[in-house]
Amino acid sequence: MANPWDHPAPEIGPVPRPNAAGLGRVSLRTLAQNLGEPAWRGDQLFAGLYRQRWTDWQAFSPLSKGFRERLAAQVDLTWPAIIQSEPSADASTKHVFALEDRCQIEGVHMPYGDRTTLCLSSQVGCAMGCTFCATGQMGIIRNLSSAEILGQVMAMVLHHQHPVEKPLNLVFMGMGEPLHNLNHVMEAFETLTDTEGLAIPPRRITVSTSGLGTGIERLGAFPRRPRLALSLNGTTDEHRSKIMPVNRVWNLAALADGLSRFPLQAGERITLEYVLLKGITDSLEDGRRLIAFARRFPSKINLIPFNVHEGSGFEPPEESRVGALCRLLSDAGLTVSVRRSRGQDVAGACGQLVRQGQGRPPKLP
Ligand code: SAH
Ligand code: SF4
């Protein structure tokens, strides 16, 4: 009988090279040490990547020639690839990024006069299953690493040659539920806010959640953290549970309670995002209940007319209704803005471009 062990050894592919792009300060120090350099050289790598935005090891002028050569020979410096860019008539650009495993995610670059806002993804897909959301319909594929979260920022900053002095705002309102990936979001937050790197002030970073009670509590416990936005999108438990299954676990009363206890800094407010779905969430009674909810804690309201996508089964509200609700809320003394979903002509709401293509990596043969 043939020896069952007597078969050719499986072929093992080359060990992947480490990629420095997206690493935080501590990992870069370790990387420097692994290449025979003192740990503080990692801080020079950090400043080179995030402050100088160098994309080639040869550009790292503070490092010795020998170290640069070792880096070039052994370590990649590769940001996520932008594989599709859809500029919109309103000057925003929606990008599709290909990750190392060929999963795809979306990010949006939105230049406003004196500042630019970047909309970021936190996951490939999303587990929350909100019925109106294209990402929700994909299901969850995986969490993004902190390097992939940071990679979206750096890839867009480099692509658009974002001037160093121009303020950047970041919103986690792309694909995914950031509080389901809080560890990696907070790891990225540390690098994004580091004053020797991109130096983005924490108050310019907003995490938007569908309402994970435990995640909100965990976020509130960080001494340095991003701001919080809640996707309310419904004003009765009955309606909200129908479009956002998470409401069956943390209902409106639990959310209002959790948000009233959220430790806000002076002047800080929680943003309430409210998607207007024609005939479902856009009645004037909804408006009145929204006022009552919003008064429970310091808040501001962002009305978002539904961004239509194929097969969703929902419709955007009448323009006149958007105006009426806006007036109702502002007459009640609340701060209210209407998000004219940017990039509507290029499948603007999150998850729509990727779903047209592929969220998942292609199956192996
Ligand atoms: N998962 C997080 C963040 C990503 S979704 C969250 O739900 O908050 C970002 C925002 O886009 C949410 O407020 C969500 O309600 C909204 N949204 C999703 N699909 C939309 C669509 N088709 N039109 C308008 N807003 C949408
Ligand atoms: Fe996920 Fe947010 Fe979409 Fe809901 S709205 S499915 S939480 S991305």
Side-chain angles (χ1 to χ4, degrees):
M1 202 176 91
N3 179 349
W5 304 108
D6 188 17
H7 57 74
E11 274 184 37
I12 300 173
V15 177
R17 287 155 54 98
N19 185 4
L23 295 185
R25 188 182 280 282
V26 174
S27 304
L28 288 169
R29 284 180 184 158
T30 308
L31 180 77
Q33 285 176 307
N34 288 345
L35 292 172
E37 297 284 331
W40 58 265
R41 288 270 179 219
D43 296 332
Q44 292 181 321
L45 294 176
F46 187 90
L49 284 174
Y50 301 111
R51 189 165 60 193
Q52 311 296 342
R53 306 173 186 179
W54 288 323
T55 55
D56 181 330
W57 291 126
Q58 294 317 322
F60 282 63
S61 46
L63 308 180
S64 70
K65 191 159 174 282
F67 187 25
R68 275 184 274 157
E69 276 165 11
R70 259 171 290 143
L71 283 163
Q74 297 179 48
V75 182
D76 285 341
L77 199 180
T78 314
W79 296 110
I82 293 181
I83 56 164
Q84 190 183 344
S85 295
E86 300 285 346
S88 160
D90 64 12
S92 62
T93 309
K94 183 144 200 172
H95 298 291
V96 179
F97 303 91
L99 305 175
E100 274 176 24
D101 62 359
R102 291 157 78 187
C103 275
Q104 295 180 7
I105 51 165
E106 296 178 6
V108 191
H109 176 267
M110 295 172 278
Y112 302 98
D114 58 347
R115 70 205 149 95
T116 292
T117 298
L118 304 180
C119 179
L120 308 175
S121 293
S122 56
Q123 300 182 303
V124 188
C126 181
M128 305 310 291
C130 304
T131 55
F132 55 87
C133 172
T135 307
Q137 301 313 298
M138 285 170 63
I140 179 72
I141 294 161
R142 66 172 176 86
N143 278 342
L144 295 183
S145 66
S146 66
E148 288 167 331
I149 294 170
L150 262 161
Q152 297 168 72
V153 178
M154 289 301 295
M156 286 193 271
V157 159
L158 291 166
H159 182 92
H160 293 275
Q161 301 183 339
H162 179 83
V164 174
E165 63 289 349
K166 190 172 175 184
L168 259 186
N169 290 329
L170 305 180
V171 294
F172 283 88
M173 295 181 187
M175 295 165 71
E177 166 52 59
L179 296 189
H180 259 171
N181 190 16
L182 188 58
N183 290 353
H184 293 167
V185 168
M186 289 308 291
E187 201 181 323
F189 172 85
E190 285 306 319
T191 300
L192 291 163
T193 55
D194 193 303
T195 50
E196 283 164 45
L198 285 154
I200 302 175
R203 69 187 152 75
R204 289 193 176 274
I205 305 179
T206 300
V207 160
S208 169
T209 180
S210 55
L212 290 171
T214 41
I216 292 172
E217 207 171 315
R218 270 188 71 205
L219 180 69
F222 282 90
R224 287 178 77 252
R225 57 158 177 80
R227 299 222 156 169
L228 179 64
L230 170 77
S231 297
L232 186 62
N233 302 350
T235 60
T236 66
D237 282 326
E238 192 196 338
H239 285 140
R240 192 169 190 268
S241 295
K242 272 193 192 139
I243 54 172
M244 301 186 74
V246 64
N247 195 69
R248 294 173 207 154
V249 183
W250 287 283
N251 65 16
L252 290 167
L255 281 178
D257 202 44
L259 296 179
S260 325
R261 280 187 280 111
F262 193 76
L264 296 175
Q265 284 160 10
E268 184 182 357
R269 291 190 281 177
I270 294 170
T271 302
L272 294 177
E273 297 160 277
Y274 192 84
V275 176
L276 296 168
L277 304 166
K278 186 178 178 179
I280 297 174
T281 63
D282 68 344
S283 71
L284 295 178
E285 291 76 63
D286 279 316
R288 284 187 271 276
R289 286 188 290 260
L290 178 51
I291 293 169
F293 190 90
R295 282 186 173 150
R296 299 270 312 263
F297 44 84
S299 66
K300 55 184 172 185
I301 298 175
N302 193 206
L303 297 177
I304 316 173
F306 177 62
N307 198 331
V308 184
H309 53 95
E310 213 186 298
S312 71
F314 296 101
E315 286 175 64
E318 304 284 344
E319 255 325 293
S320 59
R321 181 53 63 86
V322 179
L325 279 166
C326 199
R327 268 191 308 281
L328 183 73
L329 298 170
S330 55
D331 287 350
L334 297 169
T335 306
V336 53
S337 56
V338 178
R339 191 192 304 166
R340 294 288 159 206
S341 193
R342 296 199 124 207
Q344 263 178 1
D345 48 337
V346 291
C350 57
Q352 293 181 23
L353 275 184
V354 163
R355 207 176 56 145
Q356 288 168 7
Q358 53 177 165
R360 294 165 199 279
K363 286 213 169 61
L364 294 172

